[in-house]
Amino acid sequence: MPQFVYNLLPFLRWFPLTRQNMRADLLAGVTVALVLVPQSMAYAQLAGLPVVYGLYASFVPVIVASLWGSSSQLHTGPVAMLSLMSAAALIPFASPGSVDFIELSVMLALMVGVLRLALGLFRLGAIVNLLSSPVIVGFTNAAALIIGLSQLSKVLGVPFPRTDFYLDDLWRVLAQIPELHWMTLGFAIAAWLLIVGLRRVAPAWPGVLIVVVLTTVVSAMIGFDDRMKLNLSQVADAELVQGIEQFRNNRNGIRDLVSEIADKNREADALHESGGLLNIEKAAQLRAMVAVLEQQLGLLKSDNTLMQVELNSRTLQAVQDANGDWQLYPHDAVPQGQAGDGKRWRFSGIDGDRLVFAAGGAVVGSIPQGLPAFAVPQVQWDLLLALLPAALVMALIGFMEATSISKAIATGTGERVNTSKELIGQGLANIAGSFFSSYTVSGSFSRSAVAARSGAKTGLFAIISALAVVLVLMFFTHYLYHLPQAVLAVIVMIAVFSLIRIEPLVQAWQVDRFGAVIGIVTFFATLLMAPSIANGILLGIGLTVLHTLIRTMKPRVEIVSRKPDGTLGGIRVHQLEPISKHYVPIRFDGALTFINVAYFEDAILEAERKFPQAKAILVIGSGINEVDASGVEKVREMDERLKQYGVKIMFSGLKHQVMQAFYNSGLVKQLGTDMFFSDKETALQILSRQYEVEQLLPDDATPQRA
């Protein structure tokens, strides 16, 4: 079959399917599905979405990525890192879990998919090289901490306030420890101990799934989800009622402000596109109004999250009246002759016109049954540019994660991984998934490792795992109603805390301290900039590019001399005596281009000043890999200038492409062919013989230089 067919339909490489391979893929697919189902629900909550969207993201994208990807063992789907980044990117524009938030999550998946597909089609996978190892480690460590600690509120059973400063939010969660829900904490601890224990005692067992089943059954048996819906008139606490009304008004105000901001942005875009000075001025006025509204929105969101914490701290007693209706009273205000139910009821939220109070812990709740319907993603054009930086970072991070996983597995299987094809597969997976209500997905290290250990032979295993998710969506979602959210939080925490690595930064410090510092700066910047963690890695990339630029502008330049063993070394580093006062060998390790010709000039002139009796400067150019027009012109200028003082500039060990450029530019003719040597040792021997007689001449025989 022609190669272009395999390039167009890479899954054809699976065929012919043998019975042995199909059996192995079936076993691996079922094994991965046992991990995929609970993980996907946990990661969906991390992304600020209802848990069912994690299952949606584990269906179509998994199939498409396996069909058009490069690795046979890579499993695509929801992952912790991109789930958090998705939520962080969208929180400024919509409330988590809202209809607008879900639409934006799907739109962001489409953007990430288009970017990855474009990178793959144009073979631009090398752009990931902008992410140096220290930057990746620093970002991953910070993101793992942010992801893990963001689940702490669910473990404690308290609200998680969301503002523009993550560390403040985390501190407010810790401040609520006295208000924690002990049974929720008990479920979390039990889940943690069971998962860790099963990994040690029976690593082949699906520990996560076992814990999910056990905790769901126990939760249903003890009525862990203990909540009631009441009218405002059934709450006999005037201060709490006032706070709830303010909370509801703020929530409505947030919704109205978000809608107004979107409308004004769309209107401004339309005016700007229509052209004309008057329309452009009106658009600018609308932008200014949007900036004011966005500031108001931020303050309102911050106030409301803090108010939710305050409302949650107040506990009430439930009393049933003669008609069987429930009333909530403060503990010290229960009417005489009536007894409370002994529970501690807290305000949990608002469902339509009714208030939700909870005495138990949070559970997953109702999950819609059935498969996601085909729907064209709603693109909010006014937010496209605002989300583009986050989408680009997510595309790069996800690609880096997927390719590193693929290559790690390929070392054991011997399979060749094509990064461009993997980008195309990942891009198509996100694009196709966005038409079926999926949020951003990528390659999963944990599930891919499970697939490899289970003996997966082809991408068919991933399709089997997706079909298992289909069965869950079709027939089993109602069984997950009582699954404690604290258990999902523990699943996320265990997964992400394993990503934290300190050793690579220690090793980087020993090799490249400046690079290690950039990694450390990236770590702290990501923490401080959270929840906008994409800004942390963008800063790391910027510092890496700047560091590389500085190193390119100032390559290593050393005046060399003989070491005791006869080799050449820098006279300053090794504290050596100069090889001669009549000629100066200089090692130049870098491209001779426009970006560093000034540094090259400074190095030559500095050597000429340090050795005023020198009659030759030998540039050891074996480290010069590239030269451009600016480099050639600078050498020409230096030759003309040094000749005025009776000094020659010479070169040794130049590579073919550099020498060819010197020939084509006429520089060899200007300097003379005898100024170029094949290697440094030949050059030094000739210089030594040429000037050994002149070394006997008095110093005042040397021409004076200005």
Side-chain angles (χ1 to χ4, degrees):
M1 191 172 292
Q3 183 60 40
F4 79 89
V5 176
Y6 285 101
N7 291 336
L8 187 63
L9 305 172
F11 54 86
L12 292 178
R13 70 183 187 277
W14 303 349
F15 298 95
L17 287 171
T18 65
R19 180 175 297 180
Q20 182 180 3
N21 284 358
M22 289 182 66
R23 188 183 299 113
D25 286 339
L26 177 62
L27 176 62
V30 172
T31 305
V32 169
L34 299 179
V35 179
L36 174 61
V37 172
Q39 261 193 2
S40 63
M41 293 191 295
Y43 293 158
Q45 288 202 321
L46 187 60
L49 298 168
V51 294
V52 71
Y53 285 89
L55 296 173
Y56 292 165
S58 304
F59 171 33
V60 173
V62 175
I63 296 174
V64 173
S66 67
L67 291 173
W68 275 275
S70 172
S71 173
S72 298
Q73 284 79 33
L74 180 68
H75 192 278
T76 298
V79 293
M81 187 79 71
L82 294 191
S83 296
L84 176 70
M85 294 183 74
S86 177
L90 301 178
I91 282 173
F93 306 105
S95 300
S98 65
V99 174
D100 287 341
F101 193 90
I102 294 171
E103 287 183 356
L104 287 176
S105 298
V106 174
M107 170 184 155
L108 186 59
L110 177 62
M111 292 175 65
V112 171
V114 170
L115 287 171
R116 285 191 192 169
L117 181 61
L119 291 173
L121 291 175
F122 292 103
R123 300 183 180 275
L124 296 176
I127 197 174
V128 79
N129 293 333
L130 292 173
L131 300 170
S132 68
S133 177
V135 168
I136 294 170
V137 173
F139 173 76
T140 304
N141 287 349
L145 279 175
I146 292 168
I147 295 169
L149 295 178
S150 68
Q151 302 300 296
L152 188 59
S153 63
K154 294 177 182 176
V155 170
L156 299 176
V158 298
F160 185 84
R162 294 184 182 272
T163 66
D164 292 333
F165 192 43
Y166 170 81
L167 295 180
D168 272 356
D169 298 344
L170 182 61
W171 176 252
R172 292 189 182 97
V173 170
L174 295 175
Q176 296 179 77
I177 288 179
E179 312 296 334
L180 67 84
H181 188 255
W182 287 102
M183 196 174 294
T184 297
L185 181 61
F187 267 104
I189 293 174
W192 188 294
L193 293 174
L194 278 171
I195 292 174
V196 174
L198 285 172
R199 281 185 179 178
R200 293 183 178 180
V201 177
W205 292 12
V208 173
L209 185 68
I210 292 172
V211 168
V212 165
V213 172
L214 286 177
T215 53
T216 301
V217 171
V218 173
S219 170
M221 291 176 61
I222 66 174
F224 180 62
D225 176 37
D226 193 0
R227 59 189 57 231
M228 65 171 69
K229 295 182 180 180
L230 304 174
N231 297 319
L232 198 61
S233 59
Q234 293 175 270
V235 182
D237 185 334
E239 189 174 347
L240 182 61
V241 167
Q242 183 180 359
I244 292 174
E245 288 180 333
Q246 183 63 45
F247 178 80
R248 177 155 47 190
N249 292 336
N250 285 353
R251 195 181 66 162
N252 293 336
I254 289 170
R255 185 189 59 221
D256 294 341
L257 276 174
V258 169
S259 178
E260 186 178 358
I261 288 171
D263 291 341
K264 290 190 181 301
N265 274 326
R266 278 190 283 268
E267 186 180 351
D269 289 339
L271 287 170
H272 196 273
E273 290 176 5
S274 62
L277 183 60
L278 184 60
N279 286 337
I280 292 175
E281 288 180 354
K282 288 182 178 179
Q285 292 173 359
L286 285 172
R287 300 287 188 203
M289 294 173 63
V290 166
V292 174
L293 292 174
E294 286 178 341
Q295 187 175 12
Q296 294 176 2
L297 178 63
L299 292 173
L300 202 56
K301 283 183 175 180
S302 179
D303 289 344
N304 227 34
T305 55
L306 297 178
M307 185 172 291
Q308 186 178 14
V309 173
E310 175 63 28
L311 294 175
N312 183 77
S313 66
R314 302 179 66 89
T315 59
L316 305 171
Q317 281 271 7
V319 176
Q320 196 169 26
D321 60 21
N323 298 323
D325 295 326
W326 290 98
Q327 294 282 334
L328 294 180
Y329 295 92
H331 289 276
D332 57 355
V334 176
Q336 290 186 354
Q338 294 183 325
D341 61 353
K343 299 178 181 179
R344 298 167 63 86
W345 294 91
R346 301 175 189 270
F347 172 71
S348 178
I350 300 175
D351 184 8
D353 294 331
R354 310 200 73 189
L355 310 180
V356 181
F357 287 84
V363 296
V364 167
S366 299
I367 301 175
Q369 193 168 7
L371 300 179
F374 176 86
V376 178
Q378 297 294 317
V379 178
Q380 298 188 23
W381 298 101
D382 54 311
L383 295 180
L384 205 61
L385 287 178
L387 292 176
L388 189 58
L392 180 59
V393 171
M394 290 171 69
L396 291 177
I397 290 292
F399 166 59
M400 178 206 68
E401 202 171 10
T403 52
S404 62
I405 296 163
S406 301
K407 289 180 179 179
I409 294 174
T411 57
T413 62
E415 185 179 37
R416 182 176 176 271
V417 177
N418 186 314
T419 54
S420 294
K421 288 182 181 179
E422 199 57 62
L423 267 172
I424 291 172
Q426 294 287 313
L428 290 174
N430 279 280
I431 293 172
S434 68
F435 286 83
F436 292 90
S437 302
S438 168
Y439 73 101
T440 308
V441 299
S442 189
S444 165
F445 185 83
S446 59
R447 296 193 298 272
S448 300
V450 169
R453 286 198 305 267
S454 302
K457 300 299 182 183
T458 70
L460 179 63
F461 89 91
I463 296 177
I464 293 170
S465 72
L467 294 178
V469 172
V470 170
L471 293 177
V472 171
L473 283 168
M474 295 286 290
F475 305 110
F476 299 105
T477 54
H478 58 282
Y479 292 112
L480 298 170
Y481 179 95
H482 291 284
L483 173 60
Q485 290 195 15
V487 174
L488 293 180
V490 167
I491 293 171
V492 172
M493 294 174 83
I494 290 176
V496 299
F497 283 153
S498 64
L499 299 176
I500 297 176
R501 298 179 300 156
I502 305 299
E503 186 179 357
L505 284 178
V506 175
Q507 293 174 347
W509 181 265
Q510 296 169 347
V511 176
D512 177 14
R513 292 198 173 184
F514 200 88
V517 168
I518 293 176
I520 294 169
V521 169
T522 302
F523 171 80
F524 286 106
T526 304
L527 283 178
L528 293 173
M529 293 180 180
S532 301
I533 63 174
N535 293 335
I537 198 167
L538 287 175
L539 175 63
I541 292 173
L543 291 175
T544 301
V545 172
L546 181 62
H547 176 42
T548 304
L549 188 61
I550 291 173
R551 286 197 302 182
T552 304
M553 292 175 65
K554 294 186 175 183
R556 189 177 67 165
V557 180
E558 289 182 309
I559 297 174
V560 298
S561 185
R562 294 287 184 190
K563 294 193 290 186
D565 61 0
T567 59
L568 294 177
I571 61 173
R572 185 173 56 183
V573 174
H574 299 283
Q575 298 181 345
L576 303 174
E577 290 295 325
I579 199 168
S580 171
K581 62 181 179 180
H582 295 285
Y583 59 91
V584 185
I586 297 179
R587 182 165 53 207
F588 187 84
D589 294 335
L592 191 55
T593 59
F594 73 96
I595 202 169
N596 61 17
V597 289
Y599 189 68
F600 173 78
E601 178 183 26
D602 291 341
I604 299 297
L605 294 178
E606 179 67 19
E608 189 265 343
R609 282 193 293 269
K610 284 185 176 180
F611 297 87
Q613 299 181 49
K615 296 182 180 180
I617 295 178
L618 173 67
V619 179
I620 300 174
S622 55
I624 302 176
N625 296 312
E626 182 184 0
V627 64
D628 65 1
S630 298
V632 170
E633 188 60 30
K634 183 57 65 177
V635 173
R636 197 187 306 276
E637 289 178 9
M638 294 305 301
D639 174 61
E640 293 172 354
R641 181 170 179 177
L642 292 173
K643 278 180 179 177
Q644 297 175 13
Y645 310 121
V647 180
K648 301 174 183 178
I649 184 169
M650 304 175 177
F651 291 87
S652 72
L654 292 178
K655 290 182 170 61
H656 172 74
Q657 66 270 22
V658 177
M659 199 66 195
Q660 191 65 44
F662 281 8
Y663 268 115
N664 294 341
S665 64
L667 188 60
V668 173
K669 184 177 180 180
Q670 175 181 324
L671 271 63
T673 55
D674 57 339
M675 296 296 105
F676 296 88
F677 304 93
S678 60
D679 60 84
K680 59 180 181 290
E681 291 299 336
T682 300
L684 291 172
Q685 289 175 12
I686 292 174
L687 286 172
S688 177
R689 290 197 302 267
Q690 182 176 347
Y691 292 108
E692 63 183 5
V693 176
E694 297 185 25
Q695 291 176 13
L696 302 175
L697 297 176
D699 293 344
D700 55 9
T702 304
Q704 296 298 312
R705 301 161 197 171

